[in-house]
């Protein structure tokens, strides 16, 4: 049997998010096959609160993640935080955004091709190649910056959602602390 999707990873992300409300139309698609580690990424933000990241190495699902996922997360946090700072989007909010805030409500599918993959863990579903982390981080950093610059309205929506996530995280922490203090008294 042959399985084929005309839209590739972007269509797969849309399928994964079909029950959720996207915060903007379309998906962010990043692809680079020029280097030693070809990278393809499709992602979309929705109004939900869960992060949903699926990762693949040589078409093998790496549900434990690995170096390619950590490279993606690091690049995403760095680029979105830099975009928000450079466009003065955080000046009035007085919140500090963490990586979790940027990933809330995100659905992403990351696929890399590695010539000699080194899998870790008992089930061998975690990539250990360090060159994958570096390459994914560079590719996502460059192309996500270009995407944000060419889609300023969508970029502002992502930052706005991240600021709401940060505010909710801080409010939840304060509520926990208040509850614990009441319990001591």
């Amino acid at each position: 049997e042959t399985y084929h999707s005309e839209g590739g990873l972007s269509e797969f992300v849309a399928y994964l998010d079909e029950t959720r409300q996207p915060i903007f139309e379309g998906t962010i698609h990043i692809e680079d096959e020029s280097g030693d580690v070809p990278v393809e990424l499709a992602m979309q933000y929705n109004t939900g609160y869960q992060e949903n990241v699926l990762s693949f190495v040589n078409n093998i699902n790496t549900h434990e993640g690995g170096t390619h996922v950590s490279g993606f997360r690091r690049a995403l946090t760095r680029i979105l935080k830099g975009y928000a700072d450079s466009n003065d989007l955080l000046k009035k909010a007085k919140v500090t955004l963490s990586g979790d805030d940027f990933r809330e409500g995100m659905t992403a599918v990351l696929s890399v091709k590695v010539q000699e993959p080194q899998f870790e863990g008992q089930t061998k579903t975690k990539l250990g190649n360090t060159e994958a982390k570096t390459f994914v981080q560079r590719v996502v950093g460059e192309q996500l910056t270009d995407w944000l610059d060419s889609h300023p309205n969508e970029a502002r929506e992502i930052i706005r959602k991240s600021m709401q996530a940060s505010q909710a995280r801080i409010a939840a922490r304060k509520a926990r602390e208040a509850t614990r203090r009441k319990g001591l008294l």
Side-chain angles (χ1 to χ4, degrees), residues 53-168:
V53 177
L54 295 176
S55 61
F56 298 89
V57 174
N58 299 347
N59 296 329
I60 299 168
N61 187 356
T62 53
H63 61 268
E64 290 183 59
T67 55
H68 58 311
V69 175
S70 63
F72 160 64
R73 287 181 175 156
R74 182 171 288 176
L76 180 77
T77 302
R78 182 176 49 84
I79 296 303
L80 288 176
K81 193 173 191 95
Y83 182 85
D85 289 339
S86 67
N87 290 294
D88 294 329
L89 299 176
L90 301 176
K91 190 181 287 187
K92 296 177 186 173
K94 297 181 182 171
V95 294
T96 30
L97 298 176
S98 71
D100 290 337
D101 299 330
F102 289 119
R103 294 189 303 268
E104 184 176 290
M106 178 187 72
T107 299
V109 178
L110 174 64
S111 176
V112 297
K113 305 283 193 262
V114 181
Q115 289 183 358
E116 294 182 27
Q118 298 169 356
F119 293 104
E120 298 174 350
Q122 191 169 359
T123 57
K124 303 294 184 203
T125 55
K126 183 176 182 180
L127 184 67
N129 296 55
T130 55
E131 68 271 10
K133 178 180 182 177
T134 308
F135 200 75
V136 169
Q137 196 171 341
R138 183 180 62 76
V139 168
V140 171
E142 291 172 358
Q143 293 194 25
L144 184 58
T145 301
D146 294 343
W147 189 90
L148 292 171
D149 289 340
S150 61
H151 297 84
N153 294 334
E154 290 87 347
R156 289 181 194 283
E157 284 298 310
I158 293 170
I159 301 303
R160 185 190 56 74
K161 178 158 180 50
S162 301
M163 289 180 351
Q164 288 176 341
S166 176
Q167 291 166 346

Side-chain angles (χ1 to χ4, degrees), residues 26-41:
T27 59
I28 300 169
H29 186 261
I30 293 171
E31 188 171 10
D32 187 335
E33 296 186 8
S34 64
D36 295 337
V37 181
V39 176
E40 186 175 5
L41 169 72

